Amino acid sequence: MALTIGVDIGGTKIASGVVTEDGRVLDRALRPTPADSPELVADAIADAVAELARRHAVEAVGLGAAGFVDETRSVVRFAPNLAWREEPLRKKVAELVGLPVVVENDANATAWGEYRFGAGRGESHVVCVALGTGIGGGVVLGGELYRGRWGMGGELGHMQVVPEGLPCGCGNHGCWEQYASGNALVRRARVNAAADPSSAVRLLELAGSPDAIVGQHVTDAARDGDAAALAAFEFLAGWLAQGLADLAAVLDPGCFIIGGGVSGAADLFLDQVRADYAARLTGRGHRPLAGIRAAELGPAAGMVGAADLARVR
Ligand SMILES: [Zn+2]
C-alpha cells in the first residue's frame, strides 16, 4: 500500500504523519514552528519528514500551509502568522527531503481530508467551513478541489456580509468571520454578559468577568442553560446559516461540513443552522436541502488531506 506523509504547518506547531491510502494515520512526528524564519520552518519540516521516512517507505509529501498558496501549489505568497513572503516552499522542502512535494492551503487540505475520509464521504460537491479564530474555507466541486485562477479561491471567511461592519484582520470591514467564527462567538458572549450580567450568571461564574470569557466558558455555560451564552450561539447560528445560504446560491453543494474548534459544540447550534438555512435559501421549497454536518476527522483532517493530495499530485 502506497504511503505518503502529510504535514500541517500552523503558527505554533508542525504536525506530520504517515498516512495510508484509506486515510489512516500510522505514525506521527511533531515539531514547534519557528515562526520568524522561513529557513528554520523548512528545516523543521524536513527534520520531521526525515524522522518518519526512516521508519516507513513513503512516496511523496503533502504540505498544508496556513497561507495563500499559488496555483502551481509551489509558492506561499503570503502567510498572516508566519514570515513567508513569496516563499518557494515546495522547492526548498523537496531539495531537503529528496521526495516529491506538493503545497496546499491548510483549509483546502482540511476540506479534502473531510471530503475523502470524513463527513463528506460519498458526496461530490462539498463546502467545508472551519470555525476558529477566523473562518477557513475549502470547496470541492465535482470531486475536485476548487482553487480558483491564482490559487486564492475558497477564502469564505472574507465574504463581506455587513457593509461597513466590524473591522477584520484582512483590512476590510464586515467579513463573515467577524460574525460566525469562534472568535465572533466569544466576542458576542462578552458583549451579552457586559450588557446584562443578570442573564449571564453561569457564564460570569465560570469566567470571572466579561473580558475573561473564552470559548470553553461559552460552551459550558450554554450547556448549563445560561441565557447570555445561548444567545451568543443563536447569533453565531443565524450568521452561519445566512453565509451558507449565500454560498448555496452560488455553489449548490450537496453538503456543508462545519469544522474547527467550535464544531465540538455542534449539538448546541447545528439544528438552528439547519432551520435558519432552510428559511433563507433562495428557491426554498423547490430544491433539495444540502446536508449540514459536523466534521469527523478533527485536527487530523489537514494532515490526512495533505497526504492524500500528495498521492494524487
Ligand atoms: Zn476579512
Side-chain angles (χ1 to χ4, degrees):
M1 176 178 286
L3 300 177
T4 54
I5 291 175
V7 186
D8 188 0
I9 309 155
T12 58
K13 64 179 194 293
I14 296 168
S16 50
V18 176
V19 182
T20 65
E21 281 177 353
D22 55 0
R24 281 178 303 127
V25 180
L26 295 183
D27 197 358
R28 292 171 188 261
L30 197 66
R31 298 286 185 279
T33 306
D36 299 333
S37 163
E39 304 308 322
L40 292 179
V41 170
D43 287 346
I45 295 166
D47 191 54
V49 168
E51 181 190 325
L52 293 171
R54 275 196 296 276
R55 297 201 287 264
H56 305 270
V58 295
E59 292 187 349
V61 179
L63 307 179
F68 290 88
V69 178
D70 78 336
E71 74 275 20
T72 67
R73 299 198 286 161
S74 305
V75 176
V76 184
R77 295 205 178 281
F78 169 78
N81 300 311
L82 289 164
W84 286 327
R85 303 290 182 271
E86 299 298 326
E87 170 70 5
L89 190 64
R90 177 185 202 159
K91 183 165 173 283
K92 216 179 251 185
V93 173
E95 282 172 6
L96 289 169
V97 302
L99 289 165
V101 172
V102 298
V103 183
E104 190 62 67
N105 167 269
D106 62 340
N108 284 356
T110 296
W112 187 257
E114 288 287 345
Y115 157 69
R116 289 273 287 141
F117 307 113
R121 279 189 314 274
E123 298 283 348
S124 59
H125 294 64
V126 173
V127 175
C128 192
V129 178
L131 312 182
T133 309
I135 294 181
V139 177
V140 175
L141 298 177
E144 297 212 19
L145 198 50
Y146 179 77
R147 297 186 178 86
R149 168 62 181 86
W150 290 286
M152 307 292 163
E155 291 291 338
L156 310 180
H158 299 285
M159 297 190 299
Q160 190 191 43
V161 296
V162 180
E164 298 171 45
L166 293 166
C168 182
C170 74
N172 290 338
H173 283 75
C175 293
W176 191 30
E177 70 177 33
Q178 298 306 322
Y179 298 84
S181 64
N183 276 19
L185 173 75
V186 169
R187 185 195 296 126
R188 190 67 184 184
R190 288 176 178 176
V191 168
N192 291 350
D196 182 8
S198 69
S199 75
V201 173
R202 181 63 180 142
L203 190 54
L204 290 170
E205 193 175 270
L206 291 168
S209 72
D211 288 346
I213 292 170
V214 297
Q216 193 62 49
H217 297 142
V218 187
T219 300
D220 291 346
R223 291 199 195 290
D224 291 342
D226 181 274
L230 288 168
F233 272 106
E234 274 171 38
F235 177 85
L236 172 93
W239 280 109
L240 187 56
Q242 181 62 58
L244 298 185
D246 291 345
L247 288 167
V250 182
L251 298 171
D252 189 27
C255 87
F256 291 99
I257 300 172
I258 311 302
V262 182
S263 67
D267 58 304
L268 288 169
F269 64 93
L270 269 201
D271 283 342
Q272 192 199 326
V273 173
R274 293 183 185 108
D276 288 1
Y277 170 80
R280 296 173 191 194
L281 186 64
T282 188
R284 56 188 172 274
H286 305 282
R287 61 190 287 183
L289 286 174
I292 300 175
R293 305 173 194 155
E296 292 178 4
L297 300 185
M303 176 203 295
V304 169
D308 196 61
L309 287 162
R311 188 172 288 114
V312 298
R313 68 188 181 276

